[in-house]
Amino acid sequence: MEANPRSTGRLPAAFLTPGSSSFMDFLSEHQPEILPGNRQLPPTQGVLEAPHGTTIVAVTFPGGVVLAGDRRATMGNVIAQRDIEKVFPADEYSAVGIAGTAGLAVEMVKLFQLELEHFEKVEGATLSLEGKANRLSTMIRSNLGMAMQGLAVVPLFAGYDVDREKGRIFSYDVTGGRSEEHGFAATGSGSVFARGAMKKLYHDALTEEQATTLVIQALYDAADDDSATGGPDMARRIFPIVTVISDEGFRRLTEEESSVIARSVLEKRLEQPDGPRAALL
Amino acid sequence: MSTPFYVSPQQAMADRAEYARKGIARGRSLVVMQYADGIVFVGENPSRALHKFSEIYDRIGFAAAGKYNEYENLRIGGVRYADLRGYTYDRDDVTARGLANVYAQTLGNIFSSNAEKPYEVELVVAEVGATPDGDQIYRLPHDGSIVDEHGSVAVGGNAEQISTYLDQRHEDGMTLAEALKLAVQSLSRDTNGSEREIPAERLEVAILDRARPQQRKFKRIVGRQLSRLLEEGGATDAVGDTETDAEADGETGSARDSGGDVE
């Protein structure tokens, strides 16, 4: 059997063997060595330094869900990258935001996108939102070996459930444990601060516009208290990535749109550094 | 002990070719055609679920006539090939030419190996380019040969007759509705020249639309959109009457005025 996919010869027998609709299953049978989880790990001493992504937040609103992330990647106490992208579309109706080791996380997203697309092409139907969330669980679990060496990937998955007609959020732990979050969720080093902000600002009748403002407020608070999270960078014009998923599908706010929200949040913070106040009772 | 009969290689190949051709001819023909904004696939298919056309990758579509289980197998092989290639390199490195070569090798190998029966399939692999000049259409007959086609192509039992009909009438820069109408006309002509009606429910239509904002250009045309396009194509008899089409089809953006392309 020609195991080399790079040759332009006949399709290898494995390609024509009926099997599952999963691209990962196909890879694990045909070329297991290129699956991220199957890599041989050398013994390491101490923690390997690699760029880490930090804060991802998500908020549901009637009609959809908003997923957003800051732009900073850090390596120890160094800012490794100021304009990293950590929020990606997974398919037409879902998106994934990643915190943790950037290199591994971006690769995981790429494989996840392909997994969903492959299923859709082979089966002629899309996976349910629950099915997509479970698939991501499996992928995180396969990374457990690396997570235990300090290279963890912790994504946040958000999507529009076409059957239930609402936005839903799933959060994960490093072991692949999955839990559905109601209303709002955050992951990454700045998530505790972001979650605190969202807890005070969230209510269940937000408009799409309010939801996008809310996530930027939350990211601002995360950046305020967590050194690994980057706030809006006015000098370089780097603004958070904000995506909206509704029954119309996935949409990423243009740089112009997110800069307008970020600027107005920033302006208010010049007068009121701690942000909007919630009523005491 | 009996001695085996001698069969000349020419005779053996001719027999295998005839076997495959007969198998393909049992199925209905289908048409793949360029139009101003992409490539349209049209075929008669009573099934809603078992498709003749499908997406292989971002800009690449697949059409097949013949034995379903055999071309389905090749289709999934192609999806695996494209996804693996895109994963190892980059999405741009998956091309119709590469895929067509792999299919040609596969079909050719099967055709000339005595261990397997030849596949009773005829495939079309099409890639939509950024401009009509960049469109690629490859036809792959059962024996593993590969034909680079332009404008329009028909495969299946009645392919030759349909191709002749299309070659005479196909023009560059047709709108989607015009191309669809021409395709349906060509498919509804029987071998003896008489015409029959193919109702919209029996048509399978898909497009590779270069104007689609998404990365994946493949789209099925079903239901209301299909009947609207069919009506539109029927209402405008004269090819080149783009004004009314552009208006009615503004929503899909698939019937932009093709300007100087129309001769």
Side-chain angles (χ1 to χ4, degrees):
Chain A
M1 188 183 79
E2 300 121 288
N4 183 6
R6 289 159 284 272
S7 77
T8 48
R10 170 180 182 170
L11 284 172
F15 282 57
L16 298 173
T17 311
S20 105
S21 314
S22 161
F23 184 68
M24 278 160 60
D25 290 357
F26 168 68
L27 272 191
S28 66
E29 275 164 33
H30 181 61
Q31 263 198 305
E33 72 280 6
I34 69 170
L35 268 179
N38 288 353
R39 251 170 242 138
Q40 293 294 318
L41 297 178
T44 50
Q45 271 129 32
V47 174
L48 179 67
E49 286 272 302
H52 273 63
T54 42
T55 310
I56 304 292
V57 294
V59 170
T60 58
F61 63 93
V65 58
V66 173
L67 185 67
D70 76 309
R71 305 293 292 271
R72 180 174 289 181
T74 53
M75 201 157 70
N77 61 351
V78 172
I79 297 174
Q81 199 183 338
R82 295 174 195 280
D83 62 349
I84 192 175
E85 298 196 0
K86 312 176 203 170
V87 180
F88 304 92
D91 66 357
E92 187 91 33
Y93 288 106
S94 63
V96 56
I98 40 131
T101 318
L104 297 176
V106 171
E107 186 183 22
M108 188 181 284
V109 168
K110 199 173 146 194
L111 187 58
F112 183 57
Q113 289 169 327
L114 199 53
E115 174 78 0
L116 302 186
E117 187 188 322
H118 189 81
F119 183 94
E120 192 185 323
K121 288 192 287 195
V122 171
E123 294 277 315
T126 50
L127 274 170
S128 65
L129 193 66
E130 206 90 26
K132 294 174 199 170
N134 285 338
R135 214 57 206 143
L136 190 53
S137 229
T138 315
M139 295 180 64
I140 299 165
R141 209 165 287 136
S142 73
N143 190 52
L144 188 60
M146 283 195 248
M148 288 174 67
Q149 301 201 8
L151 303 176
V153 179
V154 191
L156 197 59
F157 178 63
Y160 183 78
D161 193 326
V162 189
D163 301 320
R164 299 195 196 176
E165 298 183 350
K166 63 171 190 173
R168 296 171 73 188
I169 306 169
F170 296 90
S171 68
Y172 298 85
D173 61 33
V174 284
T175 64
R178 188 206 86 169
S179 53
E180 182 165 1
E181 305 275 352
H182 296 282
F184 56 89
T187 185
S189 60
S191 63
V192 272
F193 310 109
R195 202 176 293 127
M198 288 193 286
K199 193 186 268 181
K200 294 289 171 255
L201 297 176
Y202 178 81
H203 58 88
D204 53 14
L206 293 167
T207 64
E208 181 185 317
E209 208 184 342
Q210 288 172 324
T212 50
T213 310
L214 196 158
V215 289
I216 291 193
Q217 291 280 16
L219 285 174
Y220 188 99
D221 282 323
D224 208 18
D225 289 325
D226 171 38
S227 62
T229 304
D233 189 338
M234 301 309 285
R236 295 186 183 82
R237 297 171 183 283
I238 301 170
F239 302 101
I241 291 178
V242 183
T243 65
V244 180
I245 310 146
S246 65
D247 57 354
E248 284 167 24
F250 173 91
R251 186 173 81 90
R252 178 176 155 172
L253 260 57
T254 61
E255 205 187 288
E256 178 65 27
E257 287 172 310
S258 62
S259 76
V260 168
I261 308 173
R263 274 171 209 277
S264 72
V265 166
L266 209 64
E267 244 161 59
K268 292 275 165 57
R269 294 275 173 148
L270 293 178
E271 299 158 14
Q272 215 173 329
D274 295 338
R277 303 228 177 276
L280 196 55
L281 262 178
Chain B
M1 237 174 80
S2 59
T3 42
F5 285 111
Y6 172 74
V7 183
S8 73
Q10 288 96 325
Q11 188 58 45
M13 284 302 159
D15 286 351
R16 290 172 77 84
E18 190 180 330
Y19 170 82
R21 264 201 297 269
K22 275 193 173 159
I24 296 163
R26 273 194 290 273
R28 298 202 179 277
S29 306
L30 56 90
V31 167
V32 180
M33 199 190 283
Q34 279 181 278
Y35 69 99
D37 282 311
I39 295 169
V40 60
F41 301 78
V42 188
E44 187 179 355
N45 184 2
S47 169
R48 290 285 106 204
L50 306 174
H51 298 298
K52 287 173 178 289
F53 313 130
S54 50
E55 171 190 8
I56 297 281
Y57 212 62
D58 295 348
R59 315 181 73 91
I60 306 174
F62 170 96
K67 209 156 177 268
Y68 180 79
N69 70 324
E70 290 177 350
Y71 69 66
E72 176 68 4
N73 203 15
L74 288 168
R75 180 184 76 88
I76 291 174
V79 170
R80 287 173 176 167
Y81 163 85
D83 280 349
L84 182 53
R85 203 176 162 87
Y87 182 61
T88 20
Y89 299 114
D90 184 74
R91 293 192 83 92
D92 285 346
D93 296 316
V94 184
T95 59
R97 198 181 56 84
L99 182 67
N101 275 330
V102 171
Y103 276 146
Q105 292 294 333
T106 307
L107 283 169
N109 260 307
I110 293 167
F111 184 73
S112 46
S113 109
N114 273 318
E116 280 173 279
K117 80 162 194 63
Y119 269 21
E120 300 156 62
V121 294
E122 190 164 11
L123 312 180
V124 176
V125 172
E127 176 176 339
V128 68
T131 60
D133 290 339
D135 290 349
Q136 295 168 43
I137 303 177
Y138 300 99
R139 182 167 64 88
L140 296 138
H142 54 84
D143 61 357
S145 49
I146 174 167
V147 193
D148 181 6
E149 302 274 4
H150 294 279
S152 65
V153 56
V155 294
N158 209 3
E160 230 163 276
Q161 199 196 346
I162 296 174
S163 293
T164 324
Y165 183 86
L166 287 176
D167 285 345
Q168 290 164 357
R169 289 164 182 83
H170 181 267
E171 292 174 46
D172 286 344
M174 292 171 107
T175 67
L176 179 56
E178 286 161 5
L180 184 57
K181 186 197 174 191
L182 176 59
V184 175
Q185 272 174 352
S186 72
L187 289 172
S188 51
R189 292 163 62 82
D190 279 336
T191 25
N192 53 18
S194 64
E195 283 207 35
R196 63 200 173 83
E197 182 92 8
I198 307 177
E201 313 82 68
R202 289 179 68 89
L203 279 177
E204 183 182 348
V205 180
I207 53 170
L208 285 167
D209 182 358
R210 74 177 110 253
R212 215 169 130 78
Q214 286 95 329
Q215 192 171 28
R216 295 161 67 183
K217 308 292 180 193
F218 185 87
K219 180 173 183 269
R220 290 187 191 286
I221 298 191
V222 288
R224 270 220 315 273
Q225 196 189 5
L226 177 58
S227 31
R228 205 189 62 219
L229 278 168
L230 285 170
E231 254 169 57
E232 208 178 289
T236 53
D237 258 73
V239 172
D241 185 5
T242 44
E243 217 171 5
T244 50
D245 289 344
E247 228 172 38
D249 207 32
E251 181 210 309
T252 55
S254 46
R256 218 143 305 129
D257 196 341
S258 41
D261 285 347
V262 185
E263 284 285 281

